[in-house]
């Protein structure tokens, strides 16, 4: 257990529905990342927060995806009007406050299945 | 060209042997390099990181970095069946981490 928690762990939804995932970081980590991972691939960067500011967002991320990190604590990732291609593992990772050489630690992930 | 490339494998080694995993990256400005282990259905687990040229050892694991060749490797000595997993190479450039597709390792008892 890395100290990063994600909820729910599994989500099954029908195409067209909205879903929201939550990530609770290690308390002293101010940097937070969201990734998507499909079978046979490595994690793909979605977005990055430093405290409450969303500093980077993948150009691959469609307008149906939005992320927030109010008050720089937990973060949520919302997918609107889900499509079957959104089925994947959604991973949250957090990183310590300072330094370019700090590792990031992953939560257990949320597995999304869109029917 | 992908930012990070790994041989997808599968790589099979007998128990007790040395497993060698390789990774190349494209951005010369990359600052730090990470190896993660991922069991099926689980999230990546950090094994080691390295940011200076040369070798870094931690128990049975040795990471090697050659920035001139843009090459990172991971050696696993005395491989155990519990080492069977997918190994992900990750490269940190600025605020982003780029992952390879992973190498599947099977250690045969």
């Amino acid at each position: 257990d890395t100290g990063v928690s994600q909820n729910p762990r599994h989500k099954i939804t029908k195409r067209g529905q909205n879903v929201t995932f939550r990530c609770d970081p290690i308390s002293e980590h101010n940097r937070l990342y969201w990734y998507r991972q499909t079978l046979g691939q490595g994690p793909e960067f979605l977005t990055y927060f430093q405290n409450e500011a969303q500093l980077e967002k993948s150009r691959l991320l469609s307008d149906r995806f939005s992320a927030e990190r109010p008050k720089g604590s937990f973060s949520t990732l919302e997918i609107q009007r889900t499509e079957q291609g959104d089925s994947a593992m959604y991973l949250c990772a957090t990183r310590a406050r300072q330094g370019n050489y700090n590792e990031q630690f992953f939560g257990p992930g949320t597995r999304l299945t869109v029917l | 060209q992908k930012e990070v490339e790994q041989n997808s494998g599968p790589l099979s080694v007998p128990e007790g042997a040395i497993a060698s995993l390789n990774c190349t990256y494209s951005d010369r400005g990359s600052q730090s390099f990470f190896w993660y282990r991922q069991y099926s259905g689980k999230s990546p687990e950090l094994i080691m990181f390295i940011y200076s040229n040369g070798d870094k050892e931690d128990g049975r694991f040795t990471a090697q970095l050659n920035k001139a060749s843009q090459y990172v490797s991971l050696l696993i000595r005395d491989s155990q069946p519990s080492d069977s997993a997918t190994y992900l190479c990750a490269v940190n450039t600025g605020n982003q981490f780029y992952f390879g597709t992973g190498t599947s390792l099977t250690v045969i008892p």
Side-chain angles (χ1 to χ4, degrees):
Chain A
D1 183 359
T2 61
V4 181
S5 61
Q6 290 187 247
N7 288 288
R9 296 291 303 276
H10 302 273
K11 179 70 177 179
I12 299 174
T13 190
K14 292 183 178 179
R15 188 176 55 187
Q17 298 295 304
N18 299 344
V19 295
T20 300
F21 310 139
R22 176 176 169 131
C23 172
D24 286 272
I26 296 170
S27 58
E28 61 268 24
H29 287 190
N30 71 327
R31 297 185 280 183
L32 186 147
Y33 299 76
W34 283 100
Y35 294 89
R36 175 173 61 192
Q37 187 177 24
T38 55
L39 195 63
Q41 301 298 313
E44 175 189 23
F45 172 80
L46 294 179
T47 191
Y48 162 69
F49 288 86
Q50 184 167 307
N51 299 311
E52 67 276 10
Q54 187 175 21
L55 297 185
E56 295 203 32
K57 187 175 176 180
S58 169
R59 62 185 180 276
L60 301 176
L61 211 60
S62 78
D63 292 341
R64 298 185 296 105
F65 288 72
S66 62
E68 295 183 340
R69 193 182 182 197
K71 303 179 182 179
S73 56
F74 71 92
S75 177
T76 59
L77 177 68
E78 181 183 16
I79 308 174
Q80 295 181 328
R81 304 181 302 283
T82 52
E83 301 172 356
Q84 288 184 324
D86 296 332
S87 295
M89 175 79 88
Y90 289 83
L91 295 163
C92 173
T94 70
R95 195 178 184 198
R97 181 170 298 276
Q98 296 176 352
N100 292 323
Y101 305 111
N102 302 80
E103 59 272 40
Q104 57 178 348
F105 296 94
F106 283 87
T110 295
R111 181 167 297 283
L112 173 67
T113 302
V114 181
L115 302 176
Chain B
Q1 182 184 1
K2 291 185 177 180
E3 287 87 358
V4 181
E5 301 217 30
Q6 296 181 251
N7 289 331
S8 61
L11 174 65
S12 294
V13 299
E15 184 175 354
I18 296 175
S20 177
L21 306 164
N22 304 316
C23 170
T24 58
Y25 60 95
S26 60
D27 188 342
R28 286 192 176 275
S30 299
Q31 299 161 304
S32 47
F33 309 85
F34 303 81
W35 284 100
Y36 286 85
R37 175 174 61 199
Q38 187 172 30
Y39 294 112
S40 180
K42 302 294 186 183
S43 63
E45 170 193 10
L46 180 70
I47 298 175
M48 292 189 69
F49 67 95
I50 187 169
Y51 51 83
S52 299
N53 276 328
D55 295 359
K56 179 180 179 182
E57 186 174 318
D58 184 359
R60 297 186 294 112
F61 299 96
T62 300
Q64 300 173 317
L65 174 61
N66 184 326
K67 289 186 177 180
S69 300
Q70 295 175 246
Y71 175 88
V72 193
S73 67
L74 179 70
L75 299 177
I76 306 175
R77 291 182 298 282
D78 188 23
S79 296
Q80 302 296 309
S82 59
D83 294 328
S84 298
T86 295
Y87 288 80
L88 296 164
C89 172
V91 173
N92 174 221
T93 304
N95 289 325
Q96 290 204 23
F97 284 74
Y98 298 96
F99 285 79
T101 56
T103 298
S104 175
L105 171 67
T106 300
V107 180
I108 303 168

